[in-house]
DNA sequence: AAATTGAGTTCCAAATAATGGAACTTTTTT
DNA sequence: AAAAAAGTTCCATTATTTGGAACTCAATTT
């Protein structure tokens, strides 16, 4: 197994980069993934627990967690102890667990240092100014888009509120645009692995529907979200090939459906396409000068 | 050792909650910590590596990391592999390592679910509206403040840019206000552990100077940053006792020194004190109704 | 062009840490 | 007050991590 192509750069070859995390029963999150992948190693198991604590929608008590991870009480207890000691998890006085502050600190640095995001930022901003609507920048991560930047149309809404949020690929504009950038095999593979949910009437809820649409997107170079994720919300989006074979991303313009006229859509398609191209070029330029 | 008071709630007792991370030689970060604490367990060691990768100021190659962690090549290699497989770290095509997107996702959830932050938010906003200046909300974490909310005076600056950022306690308004909230012993203890740096002329750069100031802050209930961290920046701040013996926090109003008149300071002292009190009350109210 | 160095990767016996079952303590429920 | 549930501790067994050395590959140097 693991017939990964060895990169010629001096670089760690990763066997299989699924985000790895296990949820059981009805604890199906907005992960978009169909089946659990077994977490390997001590780290994996610890992160499995961390995921449960951090991504749960309700506050989790010891027993809640115990029911999700298939582990003996003693083991889980020690794992939580370790996570707490490391500052990745905190305990509330009522005995529930929460994600710890160390995560915030790590993520803040990760975000501010991220070269792709910083290169893309001016273009994202320009797109926002040109359209006056909400603009998203998202990056491919397994079966999800993770939003790494966002400019709201209405500045009164808190900006950072959505940063780092993740959505499934199959029902978002950016997600579909990114899928269209992958090679057929990879794309089809992921299409099989989604845990499809019919969020709205128009959601593409089967692999076939999705792959058809992807084929169309490949031709046009632009994708649409026609209220497929949320009723009343449309978006136009284009994929970005980061050039380093690691970064696949996308930009989008989003707005309430009623506010968008047909010719606006066409205009956005062009703007979004141009923005994506511009980011690709800047990335290439930044990559060219070997390393640093 | 570790004579921690056992909480009577059904709750994990943590022996000693230092953020645990090791930096060597000149790799002294903005961690504020004097000495390295040995990371225990597999998780701790993995996080040590993650810290190095995520918190470094320059892009780190394998060998760079190797020189900081005191480990054999083989071991570090496997640790990095694990981190990558888990999505906590990514490799750039030039062989440097970066913090992975999974951190962003985890942190986003951690942030949005954080009850303290959400309870404090309206008060923070109100304080911003009353003063028209930048307002920070920070939480105590080891020897640092971690900023969990921020409202800029100038909206053109990106809001989220500083979220999750950490600063040493001894040279920030919020930091000193929080220290003043701790019991003498704890406070003195931390004062010894800082890795004092004279950021500016006015920085309190010894434990004695700091403890004197803290004593004064205890009496007044408000702390000041008189350009102690950055030249030209002053702030007024008050500590918040979250009530659950876990959450110690603080709010502050910050502005360029030249813009602040003396009577403004007095006004801010009151506003900041009131805000802190209001947050404490809301927290108590939210805690009272046992759990759920 | 061959040799040397440096950087990263793989392997495996030895050392260490994680496991899981059961017993124990505390809290909550009946 | 008794019983059940929830959380914690302990320790022999088991599995993972460790660290040293050998190996591969690319980049320099001679």
């Amino acid at each position: 197994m693991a017939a990964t192509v060895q990169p010629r750069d001096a670089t760690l070859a990763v066997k299989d980069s699924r985000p790895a995390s296990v949820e059981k029963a009805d604890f199906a999150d907005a992960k978009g993934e169909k089946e659990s992948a077994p977490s390997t190693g001590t780290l994996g198991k610890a992160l499995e627990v961390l995921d449960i604590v951090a991504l749960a929608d309700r506050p989790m008590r010891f027993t809640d967690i115990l029911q999700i991870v298939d582990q003996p009480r003693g083991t889980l207890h020690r794992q939580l102890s370790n996570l707490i000691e490391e500052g990745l998890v905190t305990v509330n006085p009522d005995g529930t667990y929460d994600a710890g502050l160390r995560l915030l600190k790590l993520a803040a640095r990760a975000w501010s240092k991220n070269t792709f995001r910083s290169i893309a930022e001016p273009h994202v901003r320009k797109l926002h100014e040109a359209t006056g609507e909400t603009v998203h920048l998202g990056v491919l991560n397994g079966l999800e888009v993770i939003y790494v930047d966002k400019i709201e149309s209405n500045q009164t809404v808190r900006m950072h509120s959505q940063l780092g949020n993740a959505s499934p690929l199959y029902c978002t504009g950016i997600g579909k645009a990114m899928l269209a950038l992958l090679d057929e095999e990879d794309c089809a593979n992921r299409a099989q692995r989604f845990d499809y949910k019919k969020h709205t009437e128009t959601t593409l809820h089967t692999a076939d529907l999705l792959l058809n649409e992807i084929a169309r997107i490949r031709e046009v170079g632009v994708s649409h979200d026609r209220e497929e994720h949320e009723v009343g919300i449309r978006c136009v989006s284009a994929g970005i090939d980061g050039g380093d074979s690691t970064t696949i991303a996308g930009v989008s313009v989003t707005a309430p459906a009623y506010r968008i006229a047909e010719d606006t859509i066409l205009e956005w398609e062009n703007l979004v396409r141009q923005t994506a191209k511009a980011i690709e070029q800047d990335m290439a330029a930044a990559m060219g000068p070997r390393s640093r």
Side-chain angles (χ1 to χ4, degrees), chain A:
Chain A
M1 54 144 172
T4 318
V5 184
Q6 280 295 98
R8 44 209 146 302
D9 326 85
T11 275
L12 283 177
V14 184
K15 298 128 208 175
D16 181 16
S17 63
R18 41 180 158 58
S21 156
V22 185
E23 267 97 14
K24 256 180 43 176
D26 62 318
F27 190 72
D29 232 3
K31 285 218 78 187
E33 215 154 340
K34 197 186 280 180
E35 272 297 315
S36 54
S39 310
T40 52
T42 311
L43 218 203
K45 290 171 210 155
L47 286 176
E48 194 181 317
V49 175
L50 178 58
D51 259 354
I52 292 170
V53 171
L55 305 180
D57 291 320
R58 59 203 158 115
M60 300 290 260
R61 285 201 312 288
F62 185 89
T63 315
D64 298 324
I65 304 171
L66 188 62
Q67 282 167 346
I68 295 166
V69 291
D70 189 22
Q71 301 216 44
R73 284 202 295 288
T75 300
L76 175 61
H77 186 261
R78 188 179 27 70
Q79 288 174 332
L80 280 168
S81 298
N82 291 338
L83 287 168
I84 292 168
E85 190 165 4
E86 292 300 336
L88 297 181
V89 164
T90 49
V91 215
N92 303 323
D94 67 348
T96 59
Y97 297 91
D98 260 325
L101 285 172
R102 192 169 178 188
L103 286 171
L104 251 199
K105 185 181 169 185
L106 286 170
R109 294 294 205 107
W111 188 81
S112 69
K113 286 199 314 175
N114 187 297
T115 52
F116 171 72
R117 196 217 90 248
S118 56
I119 287 174
E121 181 172 320
H123 300 285
V124 170
R125 171 154 295 151
K126 213 172 116 193
L127 182 58
H128 168 67
E129 278 156 16
T131 60
E133 297 288 352
T134 301
V135 173
H136 285 269
L137 181 72
V139 174
L140 176 64
N141 184 247
L143 299 183
E144 301 179 321
V145 211
I146 293 187
Y147 297 103
V148 296
D149 217 339
K150 177 180 184 177
I151 305 189
E152 294 270 357
S153 55
N154 180 354
Q155 290 285 7
T156 61
V157 177
R158 301 305 287 280
M159 271 171 161
H160 41 242
S161 63
Q162 299 267 26
L163 259 185
N165 263 16
S167 303
L169 296 179
Y170 66 89
C171 60
T172 55
I174 293 185
K176 292 189 294 179
M178 294 193 299
L179 281 169
L181 243 50
L182 301 174
D183 54 89
E184 293 271 6
E185 189 192 328
D186 190 353
C187 179
N189 186 297
R190 296 193 203 221
Q192 298 307 328
R193 285 160 56 207
F194 290 122
D195 176 22
Y196 291 97
K197 278 181 192 140
K198 215 162 181 317
H199 296 92
T200 71
E201 272 309 305
T202 50
T203 304
L204 303 172
H205 60 290
T206 69
D208 281 346
L209 285 171
L210 181 62
L211 289 171
N212 273 339
E213 166 104 344
I214 302 274
R216 247 173 296 145
I217 294 170
R218 279 218 184 78
E219 283 167 28
V220 197
V222 175
S223 79
H224 289 263
D225 168 359
R226 301 181 179 83
E227 312 190 29
E228 293 159 36
H229 191 31
E230 265 180 76
V231 177
I233 304 290
R234 296 194 57 165
C235 99
V236 179
S237 161
I240 302 166
D241 183 343
D244 60 358
S245 76
T246 291
T247 307
I248 299 287
V251 249
S252 69
V253 180
T254 309
Y258 70 84
R259 197 194 287 165
I260 313 175
E262 259 316 308
D263 51 344
T264 313
I265 295 270
L266 285 176
E267 191 190 319
W268 285 4
E269 285 187 352
N270 284 327
L271 286 169
V272 154
R273 224 185 322 236
Q274 282 165 28
T275 304
K277 276 277 167 311
I279 294 173
E280 279 180 1
Q281 278 168 21
D282 279 15
M283 275 296 281
M287 307 291 303
R290 262 266 154 266
S291 79
R292 190 260 143 277

